[in-house]
Amino acid sequence: MCPSPPIRSTRSKCACFWKTLIVVTAIITALFGVFVYLNEEFEPVVYRLPPPPSLKGPLKPNNYLRNAQMLLKGQIMGPESLVVEKDGKRTIIYTGTWDGKLLKIVNGIVEKSLKIKPGKKTFACGATYHTEPKCGRPLGIRRLNEREFIVAEAYSGLYTVDFEKGTVNQIFSNEQTLEEKKCHFANDLDILNGRNDSNSFTVFFSHSSTRWDRRRFMHDFFEGKSTGRLIRVEFDRNLKPKPSVALDGLGFANGVQLHPDGESLLVSECSRARIIRYFHSGPKRGQHSVFTKNLPGFPDNIRISSSGQSFSRRNGCC
């Protein structure tokens, strides 16, 4: 677009940059306009994020990930949430991938692979727009007890997974309606009282959008309506699950993490670049407040550190 001569002045470089920026902006605006015109369901509202924070102090750029090792490059597709455990000299990772698989990875090698939606299929689950709802997209994963995990599958709900037995069982369906809205986009989760009594436990999971599914998560961003919710489901092996809406009006609800105080949890508001603290018990039960805001990026998963004294979060919403 702007051919570079051997020597160029600063002024010509700037001119080329601005021309390129204007053209790219015009193309994006035109494509977005066509998208809105063709999609009658799209109903955007105005919202503005505050000016981005200065990247100083704790936000100063660092090189912590420079020496990170890439595992299973080209062998697995889009791993999302992770459960990482140590067993002697073995490092074990449990995760779900974009092509609908649940993996147990031991010392960098896939030891077991299950399908979140087992059964015969006449097509390959290659992580495409059309196959994703049929093959499943496992997102959040947490250990429930010594044998089982709970996985949030974006399109169909919550499952218990036993890697040793090779079983995957649905325990909550996204087709259930809460306050006249289906829970059709389950994202991340955490478990209250899971390891102590696996017959009676509570799951909090993020319902990212009441209007759009995972394939169209950017629709939710562009629309800006903040329809995300935090769902509470009380489980008893002998009774039906008891779901309820703990919190609504969230901007693309995403990562969920119990707080070590035992009375609250954190949920990422991805499209609002902030994290909300919700009190599930104690004297402030049912209340919520902003835990941190104006983050330098859009918070996705959030997890507590190994010390239990701090939290880490990943940028980028799925």
Side-chain angles (χ1 to χ4, degrees), residues 303-315:
R303 294 293 183 264
I304 196 165
S305 66
S306 57
S307 67
Q309 301 299 313
S310 61
F311 300 92
S312 60
R313 52 92 182 168
R314 178 174 70 89
N315 280 347

Side-chain angles (χ1 to χ4, degrees), residues 91 102 112-113 128 180 231 240 246 294:
T91 299
L102 299 165
K112 293 194 176 181
S113 176
T128 68
E180 301 182 352
I231 306 298
K240 291 184 178 180
N294 199 22

Side-chain angles (χ1 to χ4, degrees), residues 106-127:
V106 181
N107 291 341
I109 299 174
V110 176
E111 185 176 278
K112 293 194 176 181
S113 176
L114 305 175
K115 293 180 180 179
I116 189 69
K117 289 186 176 181
K120 294 183 179 180
K121 297 181 176 67
T122 58
F123 53 87
C125 290

Side-chain angles (χ1 to χ4, degrees), residues 109-157:
I109 299 174
V110 176
E111 185 176 278
K112 293 194 176 181
S113 176
L114 305 175
K115 293 180 180 179
I116 189 69
K117 289 186 176 181
K120 294 183 179 180
K121 297 181 176 67
T122 58
F123 53 87
C125 290
T128 68
Y129 183 89
H130 297 290
T131 62
E132 185 177 285
K134 300 174 184 178
C135 298
R137 181 39 166 138
L139 295 174
I141 180 172
R142 297 280 190 170
R143 180 176 283 281
L144 173 62
N145 52 45
E146 293 301 317
R147 296 181 297 102
E148 297 173 299
F149 295 81
I150 293 183
V151 174
E153 195 282 303
Y155 297 91
S156 57

